[in-house]
Amino acid sequence: MKLNIVSALAGSTFSATFVRINISPKDLSAHSIAPTLGSEIDPTLPQNRATGADEVFLPKQGQYPVWYFFYGDLTVPEILTERLGLDEMPVYRKAVVKGGILRTWGGGKYKALVDGDASARVEGWAYEVRSAEDEEMLRYYETDFYEVVRCDICMVDVGEVVKGLVFRFVGDVN
C-alpha cells in the first residue's frame, strides 16, 4: 500500500508522510475462544467454537473492567502507575497462567510470553484494568510486538480462576 501511494505521488509536488501506529492488536472473536494462550488450543475445533447464538466467550472485546496477567515490566508498580497516570500504587494479585512459556527478545532485554503446552506455567501478577482508555495506554506501551489474547488467570491467594487477557509476543524469540 505504501509503495502504491508513493508511486502515485511520484512527479507531483505532494509528498506523503507515513505514521506507524505501534499498538498491540486486540481482536477477540465473539464466536470462538480465539485468540487464546496455548499451543494446544485450536479455536477451529468444534469444542472451542460457539454452539449457539447465545454462547458468550469471555472476556468480550469491549468488556471492562477486565483482568490482565502481567509478567514483565508492568509488574513494577511504578511503571504501571506512570503509564496509567494513577493517583496511587496499583493493587496486584499473585497469579499464574497455564499454556505459556517465557522467552526473551531484543538481545535478552525484554520478556516474551509465547504459547507453550498445556502443562506449562508462568507466574506473575494480575491487575484489573478499569477502562478502555487504560487498556489502550497498555497496548501502546507493549507495542505491536505483542497481541492481546485470552487466558485463564489463576489467583494464587484464593485458587480462583478468572477469564482474562495477556500480552503474547508475536515475533522471534531467543
Side-chain angles (χ1 to χ4, degrees):
M1 182 67 75
K2 183 177 177 181
L3 182 59
N4 289 341
I5 293 169
V6 170
S7 295
L9 293 175
S12 76
T13 58
F14 297 101
S15 65
T17 300
F18 296 94
V19 178
R20 183 169 179 244
I21 299 179
N22 198 13
I23 187 170
S24 299
K26 179 185 177 191
D27 299 308
L28 305 178
S29 173
H31 308 291
S32 77
I33 61 171
T36 193
L37 183 64
S39 61
E40 297 177 7
I41 299 174
D42 183 350
T44 64
L45 293 176
Q47 66 267 30
N48 297 327
R49 294 189 311 239
T51 56
D54 58 341
E55 187 167 358
V56 176
F57 292 93
L58 298 175
K60 297 185 284 186
Q61 180 73 19
Q63 177 181 333
Y64 302 98
V66 62
W67 285 100
Y68 264 81
F69 178 80
F70 296 149
Y71 53 87
D73 287 350
L74 291 174
T75 64
V76 178
E78 294 79 10
I79 291 176
L80 188 61
T81 299
E82 179 184 332
R83 292 290 159 225
L84 299 182
L86 302 174
D87 295 328
E88 52 191 49
M89 288 297 195
V91 176
Y92 294 101
R93 290 179 65 186
K94 184 78 175 143
V96 173
V97 292
K98 291 183 179 178
I101 54 175
L102 286 180
R103 297 286 190 247
T104 60
W105 70 280
K109 185 176 179 182
Y110 305 106
K111 289 185 178 181
L113 181 72
V114 296
D115 287 333
D117 62 40
S119 65
R121 294 172 32 107
V122 175
E123 295 180 3
W125 298 92
Y127 175 77
E128 191 173 40
V129 174
R130 299 268 178 205
S131 67
E133 294 78 15
D134 284 353
E135 181 184 63
E136 185 174 278
M137 293 301 296
L138 296 173
R139 290 174 55 213
Y140 274 111
Y141 177 74
E142 289 294 351
T143 75
D144 59 354
F145 284 106
Y146 297 85
E147 66 179 336
V148 176
V149 299
R150 290 181 171 117
C151 65
D152 288 336
I153 303 172
C154 179
M155 304 297 187
V156 172
D157 56 351
V158 293
E160 171 190 14
V161 175
V162 298
K163 299 290 185 185
L165 301 170
V166 67
F167 290 99
R168 177 173 64 190
F169 188 70
V170 295
D172 294 325
V173 291
N174 300 331

